[in-house]
Amino acid sequence: MKLVSLSIVIVANGLQQWTRRRDIIFSTVASTLIIPHDKVWAEEETNSTAKTEKLVLAGSASIDLPTVWKLDGSSLTDPVLGSVTSSFNMHTKIVNSNSIAELGGRIDTFDLNLLDLKPPRARGDIVAARKRTDQNGIIYYDWDLAVSPLECPKEQQLVVTTCLPDEVALISAAVSNGKLFVFECAVTPPQWKNFAKALRTLRNSFLLLSPSSILSQQ
């Protein structure tokens, strides 16, 4: 197992050093949200034998969706195990930038508030982050977030202002031609236990369509 330089970084709320909060959050995510320790820190496995099909999002991006999963409104379902996600969407906005790096700098110091994520995800702890580039040179930032509720019973708090995470949010973002594209996929702990690897593979497949592909969709 190894960390991949400049490809995968582990941060928590922008901190660059180990803190008690970060250590506790990591342990909680690994146990409560059922993320195997080595898989959190290791380079992602991208090979999958599951059959997939391209799902076009808003005519401008795509993901590789397992053929057995069905899109039901703003969530995904599996025919055997039921609900796969609690929410699933992509949104866009105009920005004064031509790349995600230009918009917010390095992935390890990126301000998640720039992404207009569904609250309170922008306050989530970053368990893992990965930078990738497609064949057209577009840069993507991918994050795994452990998201805690804004309020929780006192006995559930880890530290003074921190609650136990109750959601995993898988985020991918890219900028092209002055437009920000953000993919959000959120799951509960039981959903994560059942579908973690497949959901990461799905999120990592998020790609913007080329201009010629967009025209073919119209």
Side-chain angles (χ1 to χ4, degrees), residues 67-78:
T67 55
V68 297
W69 290 0
K70 302 301 179 185
L71 181 60
D72 182 14
S74 60
S75 63
L76 295 172
T77 58
D78 180 272

Side-chain angles (χ1 to χ4, degrees), residues 128-201:
R130 177 174 177 260
K131 175 185 174 182
R132 56 189 170 92
T133 305
D134 69 14
Q135 61 183 4
N136 297 314
I138 296 175
I139 299 171
Y140 299 79
Y141 284 177
D142 299 330
W143 293 273
D144 293 4
L145 305 179
V147 184
S148 302
L150 294 176
E151 296 182 4
C152 63
K154 196 170 184 178
E155 61 270 17
Q156 291 185 11
Q157 294 185 5
L158 297 173
V159 291
V160 177
T161 60
T162 303
C163 303
L164 286 168
D166 63 355
E167 177 185 82
V168 174
L170 301 178
I171 311 297
S172 186
V175 172
S176 178
N177 296 320
K179 194 172 187 178
L180 170 67
F181 299 81
V182 180
F183 174 74
E184 296 185 63
C185 177
V187 300
T188 63
Q191 291 167 338
W192 186 248
K193 181 179 180 179
N194 288 331
F195 304 111
K197 183 177 180 179
L199 286 167
R200 277 205 186 104
T201 299

Side-chain angles (χ1 to χ4, degrees), residues 100 103-112 114-115 126 141 143:
I100 191 70
L103 176 67
R106 293 182 350 216
I107 192 171
D108 57 334
T109 57
F110 195 96
D111 182 1
L112 294 177
L114 295 172
L115 302 180
I126 301 175
Y141 284 177
W143 293 273

